Structure formats: C-alpha cells, structure tokens
Amino acid sequence: MTTQTITEQSASETPGADLTRPSSYYQPGEHHAPENEIHRLRQQVAASWGKEARILREFGLTEDADVLEIGSGPGYISERLLAEVPAGTLTCLELNEDLIEHARGHLTPAREGQLDIVHGSVLDSGLPDDRYDMAHARLVLQHVPGTVDALTEIHRTLRPGGKLVVTDVDDSLWGLLHPMPELPEWDEVVKLRIELQASRGGNRLIGRELGRLMKAAGFTDIKVEAVAISSEEVGMDVLAPQLDIRSRTAAMVAVNPAAERPCEVVADAMDEFVARPDASMMLVFFMFSGTKPQKDAR
C-alpha cells in the first residue's frame, strides 16, 4: 500500500488550511458510521499492541511509571497501559468528549488513584510541570495543528529525564498489499486523504519529520523503531477494518464530491482484495523516543 506520487506539504503550507480546528481527527458527529471507526481502532490495537508494548519497555516504560497518554480516544490503548503500570499511574488527555465517555465506560483501573481522565488539548493541557515519567502519543500528532507547540507542551509536563514516545505513520509507506491491485485511482485517493487532513491542520506525512520536530522541542537521545504487522501474524480479519474505504473516506467525499468516483473504485477493489484467499497485508508504524534532559539547555 505505497505511493510514490505524493508531495511533502505541511498544514501551514496548505492554502485554505483550517488552523483554528482543534484536531484534524473526526469531531463529534462527523463520522457517518462511528461504530465502524470504534471497531477499526479496537482491531488496530489488537493487531499491534504486543510489538508496541515491547518497544515501549525498551524505551523506558516501567511498572511504577507515571504515564501521560496524549489523545487517549476510546481507551483501548489506555487499557493496555494500565496493565503495564500496576504500581504507577495513567493520566489520559483527550479532546473529544464522546470518546471520553466511551473510555469511562470501558476502563476499569486496578486500584483507586491509578487512572485520571482529563478533557483537554495537548496544545494547552493545564497539567502540572515536571509531573510524568513518560508521555505516550499514539497516532495523535498527525492530527495536531502546531506539532512543535504540542511537543513543547508535552516536554513541560515531563520530569527531567522523562521520556516521550510517539507512534505515527507516513503515507509514503502506510502499509503493503499483495497482490497489489493495479489501480491508478489508488494514488489519487491517498493524495486526496493527505490533502483533506492538511486542510484540517493535520499531516499524514509526519513520520519523516518526527525526529526533527522532537529535537526542535528540546528532546534529546532520539531513537526510532519501525513496527510492521502482517496478516499472516494476526489474521486478515483483524487488519481488514483498515481497508474499510467507504467508511474511512465518507467525510472526504462529503466535502469533495469529485472524490466519490476514485473512492468507490478503490473501495470495490479492496472488497475484492479482502475476499481473496491469497491476500496478504502489512501495516507499518514508526515509534520515536526522546528524552527531556536532566537540565533543560534550551
């Protein structure tokens, strides 16, 4: 699932980008089938968490850590993080009140005081200085207008020596399909998705920029790992929701009727692909780690 024709363009360089929007992710009521999106997010976590958790531990996550989860969403990652910090705490920061309500109904902390869910923005969280041992931002910063500002705010909340782990994508290599359908419309749909997210202040090409952006926000000791999840490992039924093209492009078609035909062509092709007995799929994420210096030299 690659494309070689996309161009690198940040939201700030996109004519007409809505930089006042708090996030390029769906706002309440924007997704035409929110139950599909919730299912997609649940399956995505089920597919990749084992590898992500291992890398989080390698990057410094400990059982007694005080963790800040940025953009905690419906709570599927939060649930796994709670299990990783039985002697620590988890603070979930989330902007979308609908997702907060879902998380409150989904999460059951092991003990009193282990979990705190906060409604707020990563751009101005209101959280205390020097409070957390690790901050975790998974598939969030691609949606934030003002990435360096967000990273600077996270930096403020970490204790000296604390770690930031960012997991995100780059649509130049979002994944791979085999056998790949021969579709000129594929690159068109990927390009349209990048442009829509940029028009809302986001950046689906953020993977290539994350190391530089973290350094600009004051983080040191930058490390990166790639996470690849294959349908041969987890099953096509787990990964198939990522190919629910109609559900994932409905918002794009709503604002750009010209996108309807290429999206429908690709959606039909993905339906055929998933039904093939020889279909194989792989997702690719990038995980970055950075450290807040013991003495802030900025």
Side-chain angles (χ1 to χ4, degrees):
M1 191 178 302
T2 60
T3 178
Q4 302 298 326
T5 61
I6 57 178
T7 57
E8 185 171 357
Q9 185 177 53
S10 69
S12 61
E13 297 169 335
T14 302
D18 182 4
L19 301 181
T20 65
R21 186 183 171 102
S23 167
S24 69
Y25 189 70
Y26 303 107
Q27 300 302 293
E30 279 188 344
H31 199 291
H32 82 294
E35 68 281 1
N36 291 359
E37 179 65 2
I38 290 293
H39 177 65
R40 182 183 75 84
L41 295 175
R42 182 190 296 115
Q43 294 296 82
Q44 187 187 77
V45 174
S48 63
W49 178 251
K51 293 183 179 182
E52 292 183 52
R54 172 178 55 79
I55 295 171
L56 278 169
R57 296 182 207 116
E58 292 173 359
F59 283 162
L61 181 62
T62 60
E63 292 187 350
D64 61 349
D66 293 320
V67 177
L68 171 62
E69 184 186 6
I70 307 295
S72 50
Y76 299 132
I77 288 290
S78 314
E79 179 181 27
R80 311 299 180 107
L81 287 172
L82 284 170
E84 291 288 326
V85 291
T89 64
L90 176 66
T91 298
C92 297
L93 181 69
E94 174 56 49
L95 188 63
N96 187 314
E97 293 185 90
D98 288 354
L99 294 178
I100 287 176
E101 287 307 305
H102 189 284
R104 289 192 193 280
H106 179 71
L107 297 173
T108 305
R111 55 182 168 78
E112 186 176 356
Q114 188 190 21
L115 173 67
D116 187 21
I117 301 178
V118 178
H119 177 233
S121 169
V122 67
L123 294 169
D124 184 16
S125 69
L127 296 170
D129 293 349
D130 304 329
R131 170 65 178 84
Y132 302 102
D133 300 305
M134 177 174 281
H136 182 233
R138 181 184 184 273
L139 303 178
V140 171
L141 293 184
Q142 62 168 285
H143 294 293
V144 176
T147 309
V148 172
D149 292 339
L151 290 168
T152 301
E153 173 69 355
I154 296 169
H155 187 282
R156 179 187 66 76
T157 68
L158 286 169
R159 294 176 177 134
K163 302 282 189 176
L164 167 63
V165 179
V166 178
T167 302
D168 229 309
V169 299
D170 192 302
D171 262 356
S172 60
L173 182 56
W174 182 83
L176 299 167
L177 301 181
H178 181 79
M180 181 65 190
E182 295 293 332
L183 285 178
E185 290 85 359
W186 178 264
D187 283 358
E188 185 179 356
V189 170
V190 172
K191 182 173 183 290
L192 287 168
R193 182 168 65 164
I194 292 169
E195 290 173 349
L196 174 66
Q197 195 153 319
S199 75
R200 295 178 168 185
N203 182 6
R204 289 198 64 86
L205 302 175
I206 197 170
R208 67 192 68 184
E209 299 185 51
L210 275 170
R212 175 184 63 81
L213 293 171
M214 290 169 69
K215 287 184 68 174
F219 290 95
T220 60
D221 191 27
I222 306 297
K223 295 182 172 64
V224 62
E225 296 282 351
V227 178
I229 308 103
S230 168
S231 55
E232 280 68 45
E233 290 182 283
V234 301
M236 181 59 79
D237 58 328
V238 174
L239 295 186
Q242 311 307 316
L243 297 179
D244 185 357
I245 301 299
R246 291 179 183 84
S247 183
R248 300 193 68 187
T249 60
M252 181 165 68
V253 172
V255 299
N256 180 11
E260 182 173 7
R261 189 200 64 80
C263 287
E264 190 63 26
V265 170
V266 172
D268 288 344
M270 292 304 101
D271 290 345
E272 294 175 8
F273 172 81
V274 170
R276 291 184 62 142
D278 61 340
S280 177
M281 177 182 178
M282 181 162 38
L283 293 182
V284 181
F285 301 134
F286 300 97
M287 292 183 69
F288 285 80
S289 171
T291 302
K292 179 175 178 175
Q294 291 289 344
K295 292 185 178 180
D296 192 353
R298 285 186 300 158

